[in-house]
Amino acid sequence: MTIDTSLIPANLLAILDEVRQQPDVGTGFPPELLTFSGHVERLREWIEDANEFGIAYELLVSMLENFPFQLSGPTAVKLLEVGLVMQFKTDRPQDVRFDFR
């Protein structure tokens, strides 16, 4: 079975677009971090310019875990699809039930 990985950049950009539309959440970024717009631009560069999808995915997940961004149902499914297609694993104790290595 061949997995179609072409959905990865499109899905990441869709997720980033929804995050981009919530600049009010970005006002909560600590001053020692990049600004919200700086984060969005850096993520766009990782996806579109560098094709570093793993880095972009990890940064998006980190932003979603640490700040109260909201994703619509279809966009949340896109995030799940990327994680499944890229077969991301976690070593966090609370995620052990999802680790099939």
Side-chain angles (χ1 to χ4, degrees):
M1 175 160 123
T2 305
I3 296 174
D4 179 11
T5 58
S6 64
L7 65 85
I8 294 171
N11 282 7
L12 289 172
L13 288 171
I15 298 160
L16 180 59
D17 187 52
E18 258 191 52
V19 167
R20 177 185 290 125
Q21 294 175 33
Q22 301 174 58
D24 52 315
V25 176
T27 61
F29 281 26
E32 63 271 11
L33 294 180
L34 279 175
T35 63
F36 172 71
S37 60
H39 270 81
V40 168
E41 178 56 23
R42 178 78 43 90
L43 281 162
R44 188 209 55 78
E45 290 171 356
W46 284 120
I47 299 165
E48 292 186 329
D49 299 340
N51 294 323
E52 289 287 352
F53 307 130
I55 294 171
Y57 174 84
E58 292 293 334
L59 291 172
L60 279 166
V61 168
S62 177
M63 285 175 62
L64 294 169
E65 287 178 336
N66 291 297
F67 299 97
F69 291 103
Q70 300 291 312
L71 294 182
S72 66
T75 302
V77 170
K78 290 179 187 305
L79 181 66
L80 179 60
E81 286 175 335
V82 172
L84 290 171
V85 169
M86 295 184 77
Q87 299 181 1
F88 282 113
K89 309 291 190 264
T90 175
D91 293 321
R92 298 184 322 176
Q94 63 266 37
D95 295 335
V96 71
R97 65 182 175 197
F98 303 113
D99 189 351
F100 299 107
R101 289 179 272 185

